[in-house]
Amino acid sequence: DTAVSQTPKYLVTQMGNDKSIKCEQNLGHDTMYWYKQDSKKFLKIMFSYNNKELIINETVPNRFSPKSPDKAHLNLHINSLELGDSAVYFCASSQGDGQPHTGELFFGEGSRLTVL
Amino acid sequence: GQNIDQPTEMTATEGAIVQINCTYQTSGFNGLFWYQQHAGEAPTFLSYNVLDGLEEKGRFSSFLSRSKGYSYLLLKELQMKDSASYLCALLDSNYQLIWGAGTKLIIKP
């Protein structure tokens, strides 16, 4: 069974389009995250949710909107895609108690977004 | 502010030992993680150190010196499958994870 799964794994789209990436975890964790890994391989936190509540919202454009319908799901919607949005987006989860990153992170396989 | 430094790339021989260093500067500290990431795959957890000293886990060991702002990951009996990037990540006083850029380890036969 896949612990953290995200779809799609690959996404190629044109500038200006709107796209979504979905993430689900079956580990029973309370906290979920979205990370962006750029071409230089830096992992940057974008958002963190604990029990459906937003607890980290780093400085990302408001074109990025996360949604957590329940604590097992955290989706990422991106409006008006730009070339600089091309990256690998990782979903992750951890057993936190409201403080993010108190436990090890379990990552999904990543979604490679290419904006043309 | 915070800063994490680790070498960009290292090469080692199958069967040998390699040490990957990570130095950091931070005003607050709640621990240091090491993750392994194979090309095109997700990072996977290797170790977490919050106290000074060496933590051993099979062929992998991780060391921390908080006073020196220094950690290393030691890999013994290297196997070809150990070829990957190794990411050092610092947990700061706000429990924010600050990631290094990773060290790409190349294993040669």
Side-chain angles (χ1 to χ4, degrees):
Chain A
D1 280 344
T2 303
V4 182
S5 60
Q6 49 183 114
T7 56
K9 289 187 172 47
Y10 298 93
L11 191 54
V12 181
T13 188
Q14 300 288 329
M15 269 198 313
N17 284 350
D18 304 338
K19 292 294 178 186
S20 292
I21 309 172
K22 296 184 177 181
C23 179
E24 175 182 4
Q25 54 95 4
N26 62 8
L27 296 167
H29 287 165
D30 295 324
T31 309
M32 295 185 72
Y33 313 82
W34 276 110
Y35 276 90
K36 179 180 179 181
Q37 189 172 42
D38 59 23
S39 57
K40 294 183 179 179
K41 304 303 180 186
F42 277 104
L43 271 167
K44 295 180 184 176
I45 182 76
M46 299 175 70
F47 302 102
S48 173
Y49 272 73
N50 180 264
N51 278 316
K52 302 192 297 176
E53 298 295 324
L54 179 67
I55 52 174
I56 291 177
N57 184 0
E58 292 297 310
T59 307
V60 298
N62 57 15
R63 299 181 294 105
F64 291 79
S65 52
K67 282 195 179 152
S68 183
D70 55 63
K71 76 172 193 177
H73 295 84
L74 181 62
N75 303 324
L76 183 66
H77 187 76
I78 316 170
N79 289 326
S80 304
L81 279 158
E82 300 177 357
L83 293 177
D85 298 333
S86 294
V88 181
Y89 292 84
F90 283 102
C91 176
S93 72
S94 70
Q95 188 54 50
D97 58 358
Q99 286 286 7
H101 301 304
T102 50
E104 71 177 88
L105 290 172
F106 291 80
F107 284 87
E109 293 181 338
S111 297
R112 182 175 295 275
L113 172 65
T114 303
V115 182
L116 303 176
Chain B
Q2 296 114 343
N3 190 42
I4 295 181
D5 289 309
Q6 49 182 134
T8 304
E9 187 174 296
M10 297 181 71
T11 303
T13 305
E14 191 177 14
I17 299 173
V18 72
Q19 177 175 310
I20 302 174
N21 296 327
C22 172
T23 58
Y24 61 88
Q25 295 88 40
T26 182
S27 54
F29 180 82
N30 276 305
L32 189 134
F33 290 87
W34 282 96
Y35 279 78
Q36 180 192 60
Q37 186 176 24
H38 285 100
E41 298 183 10
T44 54
F45 171 82
L46 289 178
S47 67
Y48 171 67
N49 294 65
V50 67
L51 299 176
D52 289 349
L54 187 68
E55 298 265 350
E56 296 187 68
K57 193 185 291 186
R59 294 188 299 113
F60 292 9
S61 303
S62 56
F63 172 84
L64 176 68
S65 169
R66 288 172 297 172
S67 62
K68 294 182 180 177
Y70 169 65
S71 173
Y72 67 72
L73 182 68
L74 190 71
L75 292 77
K76 300 177 184 176
E77 300 168 19
L78 284 168
Q79 302 175 10
M80 297 303 291
K81 68 177 182 179
D82 297 330
S83 292
S85 286
Y86 291 86
L87 307 172
C88 172
L90 164 71
L91 197 59
D92 72 9
S93 56
N94 295 317
Y95 290 94
Q96 302 284 321
L97 256 185
I98 313 298
W99 294 84
T103 298
K104 183 178 180 181
L105 178 63
I106 300 168
I107 310 297
K108 295 185 175 178

